[in-house]
Amino acid sequence: HAEAPPRGVEAPKVESTTRAKPEEVPEPGFVIIDLGVYGKFKVREGDWRLFVEVVESTCEPVSEGVIKRLPPRLHGLFRHMWKWAIVKYSVKAGRWVVDYRKLRVIRAR
């Protein structure tokens, strides 16, 4: 990795070519589930609570067990999060878990 410049020497200024987009904020009643490089999903706040509740209370080790308990509007979110191991079955816990380290929930301000 690059060495820090010696004390008293100014590091060259690097101009950023990509402007940081202002953070997307959902309208009241919605949340944005930010999965980083894997995309963002906008869902109703109540749907996100339902999603977490259903996922974390499902003890069946197959993904279809979770899907059949979720309303159809949340199937895409589950499949996407499952594909990237953001939701997974924990043998130790004996249930499905959401890996909160891999996502960020952006709420309306």
Side-chain angles (χ1 to χ4, degrees):
H1 70 107
E3 291 295 313
R7 286 184 189 280
V9 175
E10 210 174 308
K13 298 263 186 283
V14 179
E15 283 301 315
S16 173
T17 52
T18 54
R19 277 214 179 340
K21 282 187 238 130
E23 188 173 86
E24 204 178 335
V25 178
E27 55 269 27
F30 285 85
V31 293
I32 293 174
I33 308 307
D34 184 351
L35 307 176
V37 295
Y38 304 119
K40 291 180 181 178
F41 287 81
K42 186 165 99 175
V43 294
R44 291 185 182 284
E45 213 160 337
D47 280 351
W48 175 242
R49 278 195 301 272
L50 176 69
F51 180 89
V52 170
E53 204 175 286
V54 168
V55 168
E56 294 188 337
S57 68
T58 300
C59 301
E60 225 176 301
V62 290
S63 62
E64 289 306 311
V66 180
I67 292 220
K68 71 181 183 214
R69 294 181 63 203
L70 283 171
R73 65 184 177 275
L74 295 175
H75 290 179
L77 176 63
F78 176 79
R79 284 195 172 100
H80 194 80
M81 289 175 74
W82 179 62
K83 176 182 177 183
W84 300 111
I86 297 165
V87 293
K88 54 187 173 268
Y89 185 77
S90 164
V91 174
K92 203 165 119 190
R95 64 180 175 81
W96 284 80
V97 293
V98 177
D99 187 345
Y100 293 100
R101 295 168 305 182
K102 295 181 179 178
L103 65 89
R104 212 162 53 99
V105 178
I106 303 167
R107 297 184 190 287
R109 290 204 175 106

